[in-house]
Amino acid sequence: MVEKQSNNNFALYILMFNMFIAMAGIGLIIPIMPQFLGTFGVAGKVLGFLIAIFSFAQFIFSPVAGNMSDRHGRKKIIIIGLFIYGAAQLAFSLSTHLWMLFVARFFSGLGAAFIVPPMMAFVADITTLEKRGKGMGLLGASMSLGFMIGPGIGGFLSNISLLFPFYFAAGASIFAALLSIFILPNPAPSISAKKLQEKSENLFKQLKRSTKTPYFIMLIVMFVFSFGLANYQSTISLYVDQKYGYTPSQIAVLITVGGFVGVIIQTFVINPLFKRFGEMRVILVNLVVAALSMSAVLLVDLFWTILLVATIFSTATSLLRPAVNTLVSKLAGEEQGFAAGMMNAYMSLGNMVGPALAGSIFDYNIALPYFVGTAILLICFGITFTWAKRNSTLLASTRTN
């Protein structure tokens, strides 16, 4: 029993490292994107659509990845995803035409789809219900740490060359893939033949089947939440660049500090919060905090006040994702791969629509994405609060002491 627990802990640490490497690869290109896209003569709208096509690929392939990880094991799918993501980062840096950027970003999204859902399902495989929140929180902390350190690395490496951060991201992802080949365990997923047969459905049938799951409303919440969140994430670097003339290094600080606080919260605070208040209360409170802090970005103009508001927003979102992921995982039973795939699909759908809209309205008025994002998050709160009241018994069954 002790040996099994030790192996599970080792697997979790490797997953955390892989997630950190993959997310650092995403985070380190954020501060340089305005300058990089400027070399192509484009701005907000194109950045929004580049993020959208990344999410479109995730939307299509996340259920496929969850399905494949249930059939063939989490390890193989994670490794494939890391290799694809690394190659796509390199292709993005070598692009010479705008259409090539979109193709490279599509394959980046495909790679991410093969990384995130299998990792989430892997954590569910090796944790009990009582420790599920802690496991998801630690995986989320490694994600936040990657985003936190990534922009700082990107801002520093951009001094060497504007393209060098992309090379670094590609190398880091391929390194993580090689590491996984040799030392990541490969436990067999626990799923019945009947459930595997159900997973042979295509994407649209899986989406239809997701509407009959007990956690369907949480999938909708993830979609709506991701839609609102994407308005902020896809435009904040452009907003401070255009309004205040912030440098890549200053943008990196805004993202890094918020990410650092998120790491602390997810590592040391999130599990006690889940045990004391339950995932649903954490979700409700932080939807409101995220909405208020998003609109507050427009009310401040000093660097330290923008940094404070951005940090509050980052802290709220750092609590939201693992809370929703943990609640869905508890309600999913043995369908961990399917649930994780659908969570990532609905999240990707929100991430796809949000940046495309945000980029377009940003070019019209740089404040509009934040008004729209705030409204979306408040709508999300209303949906969640209503569902929680109607399903208090179901939610009570997920609580652990």
Side-chain angles (χ1 to χ4, degrees):
M1 188 71 172
V2 175
E3 182 180 355
K4 181 179 179 181
Q5 184 61 42
S6 177
N7 290 337
N8 288 344
N9 289 338
F10 177 73
L12 180 59
Y13 296 145
I14 298 301
L15 292 174
M16 290 170 62
F17 178 78
N18 283 354
M19 184 67 82
F20 164 76
I21 291 295
M23 295 304 110
I26 296 175
L28 65 83
I29 70 172
I30 292 175
I32 65 173
M33 282 304 283
Q35 203 171 335
F36 178 74
L37 291 178
T39 64
F40 288 84
V42 294
K45 185 179 294 185
V46 170
L47 178 57
F49 280 106
L50 281 172
I51 297 172
I53 199 168
F54 179 96
S55 300
F56 177 65
Q58 278 191 299
F59 169 66
I60 293 175
F61 291 105
S62 288
V64 175
N67 184 0
M68 291 178 66
S69 74
D70 280 337
R71 289 179 175 275
H72 306 294
R74 320 298 185 197
K75 178 177 178 176
K76 292 180 181 178
I77 309 306
I78 292 170
I79 291 170
I80 290 172
L82 287 167
F83 273 120
I84 292 174
Y85 181 77
Q89 287 283 70
L90 182 61
F92 193 87
S93 69
L94 298 176
S95 298
T96 55
H97 295 85
L98 202 56
W99 67 266
M100 297 171 70
L101 294 180
F102 281 95
V103 172
R105 287 299 289 174
F106 180 85
F107 278 95
S108 293
L110 189 158
F114 276 64
I115 295 171
V116 179
M119 284 192 183
M120 290 169 54
F122 203 131
V123 170
D125 288 340
I126 61 176
T127 57
T128 62
L129 281 178
E130 291 76 13
K131 296 183 178 181
R132 186 72 47 81
K134 182 179 180 180
M136 291 293 183
L138 289 173
L139 193 66
S142 64
M143 181 183 294
S144 297
L145 185 62
F147 276 121
M148 178 192 76
I149 294 179
I153 296 174
F156 174 76
L157 294 179
S158 66
N159 294 321
I160 301 174
S161 164
L162 192 60
L163 297 179
F164 196 77
F166 295 102
Y167 303 150
F168 189 88
S173 183
I174 292 172
F175 172 77
L178 294 174
L179 187 71
S180 298
I181 290 174
F182 294 106
I183 66 175
L184 183 66
N186 190 31
S190 175
I191 185 166
S192 66
K194 178 182 177 181
K195 294 297 182 183
L196 282 175
Q197 180 63 34
E198 289 177 348
K199 291 180 185 300
S200 64
E201 302 163 335
N202 60 41
L203 171 62
F204 297 104
K205 287 185 178 179
Q206 288 192 49
L207 288 171
K208 182 178 179 181
R209 184 157 68 87
S210 73
T211 65
K212 301 176 182 178
T213 62
Y215 50 83
F216 171 64
I217 195 64
M218 298 311 299
L219 298 177
I220 296 298
V221 167
M222 179 56 77
F223 163 72
V224 177
F225 160 62
S226 299
F227 179 94
L229 178 60
N231 282 272
Y232 176 89
Q233 291 179 325
S234 63
T235 58
I236 187 62
S237 61
L238 293 172
Y239 176 78
V240 295
D241 174 59
Q242 291 192 19
K243 189 168 184 178
Y244 303 110
Y246 284 6
T247 64
S249 297
Q250 288 175 305
I251 296 172
V253 170
L254 287 178
I255 301 170
T256 300
V257 172
F260 178 72
V261 174
V263 169
I264 295 175
I265 292 292
Q266 290 173 321
T267 303
F268 301 107
V269 179
I270 198 165
N271 200 47
L273 279 178
F274 288 174
K275 286 185 176 181
R276 181 169 182 178
F277 301 107
E279 292 84 6
M280 182 51 67
R281 286 187 182 179
V282 173
I283 292 169
L284 291 171
V285 169
N286 284 284
L287 281 171
V288 175
V289 173
L292 295 178
S293 57
M294 175 175 281
S295 58
V297 169
L298 303 174
L299 305 177
V300 294
D301 55 9
L302 299 177
F303 179 80
W304 73 268
T305 55
I306 296 174
L307 177 62
L308 176 62
V309 171
T311 300
I312 294 172
F313 180 84
S314 180
T315 301
T317 56
S318 295
L319 287 167
L320 276 166
R321 286 199 191 280
V324 176
N325 288 338
T326 301
L327 187 56
V328 169
S329 179
K330 287 181 176 182
L331 295 171
E334 67 176 20
E335 292 190 304
Q336 295 299 326
F338 175 76
M342 296 313 300
M343 277 289 290
N344 214 45
Y346 278 81
M347 178 187 71
S348 300
L349 188 60
N351 288 340
M352 177 177 64
V353 178
L357 175 63
S360 298
I361 62 178
F362 180 90
D363 286 343
Y364 178 75
N365 185 312
I366 63 175
L368 274 180
Y370 303 97
F371 289 123
V372 173
T374 297
I376 291 296
L377 288 171
L378 291 176
I379 290 171
C380 186
F381 169 81
I383 294 172
T384 309
F385 181 77
T386 301
W387 181 83
K389 287 187 67 176
R390 294 176 179 175
N391 293 272
S392 56
T393 302
L394 176 65
L395 292 172
S397 69
T398 67
R399 292 292 302 275
T400 54
N401 299 318

